[in-house]
Amino acid sequence: MVEELLTAAVAAAAGVAVYMGFAVRVVKQYERGLVFRFGRLREEVRGPGLTTVVPVVDRLRKVNMQIVTLPVPAQEGITRDNVTVRVDAVVYFKVVDPASAVVAVEDYRFAVSQMAQTSLRSIIGKSDLDDLLSNREMLNQGLELMIDSPAVGWGVQIDRVEIKDVSLPDTMKRSMARQAEADRERRARVINADAELQASHKLAEAAEVMSEQPAALQLRLLQTVVAVAAEKNSTLVLPFPVELLRFLERATPAPAAPAPATAAHEDPAPAGPATEGPGPAGTGAPPGGDRALDGPPADPAALVPGEGEGEGALPRAVTAAGAPETPGEAPA
């Protein structure tokens, strides 16, 4: 009899152990349990810890309550300013109502993923390229609102949406690079011009001070020479003041101008017998010899070349009476 009781007790304990093995469930801290009894959802949501269900009758469904990171595949679209781009994003969401997440939608993860892709394409078509590149915070908020609106009925709360990357065509990248380079060059030129203006003001002030103290210019020149010589250069460029050159130019006496050539004033020779030969008319008569003959001597200006003779022929003397003398005739 005792043996039968012990056997029955052992069998009962084994049955209880088997029942507990099928009835006891463990719900983790980040999970919530939903019990379906004969396919009907029980209103009670099982919290974390040990919980029991009726074997074969109940079925426990665990729902993860952690924030889920869902990457959105890259979507290709055309922006409002007709630029083709590829944009990918990431969605952070969590389940706030386990019953709706299990009952209201078949697969809440897949539903959120598809809604995120559709909303991302819609945002691309409504935005400009500059907004996608520089104003992402506003686009993230708009994308979050577009996904969160239908997700509320699924028991899912969208925590955050971020646009990860915007891929542009190579031609657009080169155009943007040229634009940025031109803008940088413009800013560099403006800064350089401003620096030149400030330097000109300072140089003007320095020139005023040096004009009052001429020795300052010499000291500055010596400082420049020392600065250049400190580099151990084999060639030294020494500036030479232009004022010193002007001083030397004024101090140098001007060269004496050469005396103008004066023609010897000689008394014209009296008209006499013409001599043959290449020379001019004979002038061998003494100055006071035949001057008193038949009137005043012939004017040299009245000497004219003979007719039919060349430029090198001897002129014929014209007498005071105006009749030309023939060669070989003696004066009267």
Side-chain angles (χ1 to χ4, degrees):
M1 184 68 182
V2 176
E3 294 179 355
E4 294 179 354
L5 291 176
L6 290 177
T7 304
V10 171
V16 171
V18 172
Y19 176 82
M20 293 299 295
F22 284 101
V24 175
R25 296 289 185 273
V26 177
V27 180
K28 298 179 181 180
Q29 181 65 35
Y30 54 86
E31 294 176 339
R32 297 296 183 268
L34 299 178
V35 178
F36 290 88
R37 179 167 294 177
F38 294 112
R40 182 183 294 273
L41 177 65
R42 304 282 295 180
E43 296 181 358
E44 182 184 0
V45 178
R46 306 296 175 90
L50 289 175
T51 184
T52 59
V53 295
V54 179
V56 182
V57 177
D58 295 341
R59 188 171 69 87
L60 182 66
R61 174 76 179 272
K62 299 177 183 180
V63 180
N64 193 341
M65 304 296 290
Q66 291 177 316
I67 295 178
V68 180
T69 303
L70 180 65
V72 181
Q75 302 297 314
E76 184 173 354
I78 301 177
T79 61
R80 189 166 57 182
D81 50 353
N82 299 326
V83 179
T84 303
V85 294
R86 290 178 59 88
V87 183
D88 56 352
V90 59
V91 180
Y92 302 92
F93 69 94
K94 63 181 178 180
V95 178
V96 294
D97 187 0
S100 298
V102 174
V103 177
V105 62
E106 180 181 3
D107 187 354
Y108 64 90
R109 288 175 177 266
F110 181 75
V112 172
S113 175
Q114 294 299 315
M115 179 57 63
Q117 296 179 30
T118 306
S119 301
L120 183 58
R121 289 186 178 182
S122 179
I123 285 292
I124 293 174
K126 295 179 181 179
S127 305
D128 295 332
L129 179 61
D130 293 339
D131 296 335
L132 289 175
L133 297 177
S134 61
N135 197 11
R136 294 188 181 182
E137 189 65 27
M138 185 182 66
L139 297 180
N140 293 338
Q141 294 177 1
L143 189 59
E144 179 180 347
L145 291 176
M146 294 180 65
I147 301 175
D148 190 59
S149 298
V152 173
W154 304 337
V156 177
Q157 178 183 353
I158 305 300
D159 187 70
R160 190 175 182 85
V161 180
E162 291 287 344
I163 296 177
K164 291 198 305 182
D165 188 23
V166 178
S167 300
L168 300 175
D170 294 337
T171 56
M172 181 59 63
K173 290 180 180 180
R174 289 193 293 267
S175 299
M176 295 176 65
R178 288 195 299 267
Q179 178 184 1
E181 183 179 358
D183 184 67
R184 290 288 181 180
E185 185 177 357
R186 178 185 62 83
R187 292 171 58 185
R189 289 183 178 180
V190 171
I191 294 174
N192 190 18
D194 190 13
E196 292 292 341
L197 178 60
Q198 296 180 7
S200 63
H201 291 322
K202 295 299 181 182
L203 289 175
E205 295 178 2
E208 292 179 0
V209 174
M210 290 184 179
S211 62
E212 297 176 357
Q213 299 292 336
L217 181 60
Q218 301 297 330
L219 293 177
R220 182 57 182 165
L221 178 60
L222 294 177
Q223 291 178 357
T224 305
V225 173
V226 172
V228 173
E231 299 295 334
K232 298 181 181 180
N233 296 325
S234 59
T235 304
L236 178 61
V237 179
L238 180 63
F240 199 77
V242 180
E243 290 77 4
L244 183 57
L245 293 177
R246 293 176 180 174
F247 173 76
L248 295 176
E249 182 180 357
R250 289 193 300 267
T252 303
T262 56
H265 296 280
E266 297 180 353
D267 294 335
T275 58
E276 296 181 359
T283 57
D290 297 336
R291 182 170 297 186
L293 301 176
D294 295 340
D299 187 4
L303 299 176
V304 294
E307 297 180 0
E309 298 175 355
E311 295 181 356
L314 296 175
R316 285 189 302 176
V318 182
T319 60
E325 295 179 355
T326 57
E329 293 182 358

